[in-house]
Amino acid sequence: MMKLKNGEIIPGIGISNISLGITKEELIHLIGIEYEEEIFEFISIIIVENAKFWFTNDGKLYQIGVSKDFQGKYKNVIGIGSTLKEVKEKFGDYNEEHNTYEIENDKGMCFELEDVDYDEEWDELTAPIEYIYVYRVGSETLK
């Protein structure tokens, strides 16, 4: 199955060579035919090995999520495995909402942290970022 390997993470715009707002056909042209698809009432999700692509009922790419072994970065600094401590040091405050975190002054991107291991004390500042999402700004997030 296809994997996204690298590329810039740009909030509200896209990840790597995949831009928000493209059609499902345009995405499949970029990623190839090896993918899974989950279809819900108002959205469908295209899934490849380390990325997910959410399409709303307008037929346009709404959100992209990347995880494990995606090497790309936000502003060449923050990527999978980075921490909120690094985010705070480089980009200032962040907000937490429904277990996702976004940089206060840069909308259109959020992070999910690695799940808590109950044997250790979990700290949001040092827990590694497990997922990075970029999404179209100006409408309600579909997480």
Side-chain angles (χ1 to χ4, degrees), residues 70-109:
F70 177 74
Q71 303 295 312
K73 304 255 192 245
Y74 165 69
K75 295 194 174 174
N76 295 317
V77 177
I78 303 299
I80 301 298
S82 298
T83 64
L84 289 178
K85 183 174 191 260
E86 293 170 85
V87 169
K88 194 171 176 118
E89 286 169 0
K90 304 280 189 206
F91 304 108
D93 283 337
Y94 59 87
N95 299 314
E96 187 264 336
E97 190 175 328
H98 308 300
N99 295 321
T100 65
Y101 300 82
E102 70 178 18
I103 297 172
E104 198 169 83
N105 296 316
D106 210 345
K107 303 297 180 213
M109 174 181 67

Side-chain angles (χ1 to χ4, degrees), residues 21 24 29 47 49 60 86 89 99 112 129:
K24 193 181 293 185
H29 180 75
I47 302 164
E49 192 169 325
K60 305 281 190 195
E86 293 170 85
E89 286 169 0
N99 295 321
E112 273 184 45
I129 292 172

Side-chain angles (χ1 to χ4, degrees), residues 42-55:
F42 298 109
I43 62 169
S44 67
I45 305 171
I46 300 268
I47 302 164
V48 297
E49 192 169 325
N50 66 344
K52 292 183 178 184
F53 306 92
W54 283 258
F55 288 87

Side-chain angles (χ1 to χ4, degrees), residues 11-78:
I13 303 293
I15 294 180
S16 189
N17 64 333
I18 300 173
S19 299
L20 297 171
I22 65 172
T23 65
K24 193 181 293 185
E25 293 72 29
E26 290 170 316
L27 175 69
I28 292 166
H29 180 75
L30 292 169
I31 66 170
I33 57 169
E34 283 193 41
Y35 62 87
E36 294 173 22
E37 184 172 13
E38 295 178 0
I39 298 174
F40 301 94
E41 189 174 353
F42 298 109
I43 62 169
S44 67
I45 305 171
I46 300 268
I47 302 164
V48 297
E49 192 169 325
N50 66 344
K52 292 183 178 184
F53 306 92
W54 283 258
F55 288 87
T56 51
N57 53 12
D58 70 358
K60 305 281 190 195
L61 183 58
Y62 173 83
Q63 178 173 283
I64 304 168
V66 291
S67 63
K68 59 184 173 196
D69 67 12
F70 177 74
Q71 303 295 312
K73 304 255 192 245
Y74 165 69
K75 295 194 174 174
N76 295 317
V77 177
I78 303 299

